[in-house]
Amino acid sequence: GSGTAEWCTNLANEKGQILQCIFTCEESVDKLKPLADGVMGRYERADVESPTLMYVDRGCCRLQGHTHVEALFDRWIEDGMVIRLDIFHWIHRFDSAVRTESHSKYAVFKSAISGAVFAYNKDDLGIKFVKLINKTFDKVGKETHFNFYILDA
């Protein structure tokens, strides 16, 4: 009926943990402001620095003035936070430029873009593996030996 919740908006951190969830009748700045104020207030009370980057599924682009996301998180924007479109939705924005799914190369193109964006960096993986191994050594003792290999792509 009228006035019932139609939208569920979640705000998650980099670990995928939900920080705040709100049900609203619409996704307007007025309706989402309690979510933003609640999260910003929790950060302030916990004496945690404002995030430096926020990924959104829409509302990051502007022609002029502020976006609705910037209006919602105005205090964090003032602290220097940057808003970016998340990579999943960035890839799907190509759909508006490459209109037809019936083109014979459409699937290959989308697959190539996804593969390029989500390609692993060998050096970054090496750093992560070394950290993981060092953490594991601390738990099981230095006498345990691990071998790991990062193959060239």
Side-chain angles (χ1 to χ4, degrees):
S2 179
T4 60
E6 296 178 13
W7 296 95
C8 175
T9 301
N10 297 307
L11 184 65
N13 64 13
E14 67 277 8
K15 296 176 183 175
Q17 299 165 326
I18 303 296
L19 300 178
Q20 188 82 13
C21 177
I22 190 168
F23 292 94
T24 62
C25 300
E26 59 185 66
E27 284 192 317
S28 66
V29 171
D30 289 341
K31 300 295 183 187
L32 293 177
K33 194 65 176 159
L35 174 137
D37 287 342
V39 170
M40 288 187 291
R42 286 172 55 194
Y43 270 66
E44 290 166 4
R45 287 189 300 278
D47 199 27
V48 175
E49 289 184 22
S50 302
T52 57
L53 181 63
M54 178 182 284
Y55 288 102
V56 295
D57 61 358
R58 65 184 177 278
C60 60
C61 303
R62 61 179 151 151
L63 296 174
Q64 57 187 351
H66 294 290
T67 67
H68 75 278
V69 178
E70 290 171 330
L72 288 169
F73 295 96
D74 52 351
R75 297 192 310 257
W76 285 355
I77 295 295
E78 289 172 9
D79 289 344
M81 183 180 74
V82 177
I83 298 171
R84 297 281 184 255
L85 184 66
D86 74 71
I87 198 65
F88 175 81
H89 290 90
W90 180 82
I91 288 172
H92 284 281
R93 293 252 174 126
F94 279 98
D95 290 343
S96 63
V98 183
R99 286 222 150 205
T100 177
E101 293 181 11
S102 63
H103 191 283
S104 63
K105 302 294 184 196
Y106 177 80
V108 174
F109 172 75
K110 291 292 288 251
S111 178
I113 290 223
S114 181
V117 167
F118 293 111
Y120 290 107
N121 179 294
K122 181 178 140 187
D123 296 333
D124 288 347
L125 280 178
I127 292 168
K128 283 191 110 25
F129 283 137
V130 167
K131 286 181 180 179
L132 177 65
I133 287 169
N134 287 336
K135 191 184 293 185
T136 304
F137 273 151
D138 291 341
K139 290 181 182 176
V140 299
K142 301 290 184 197
E143 67 281 349
T144 305
H145 297 283
F146 292 91
N147 290 323
F148 69 97
Y149 302 94
I150 300 174
L151 303 175
D152 288 322

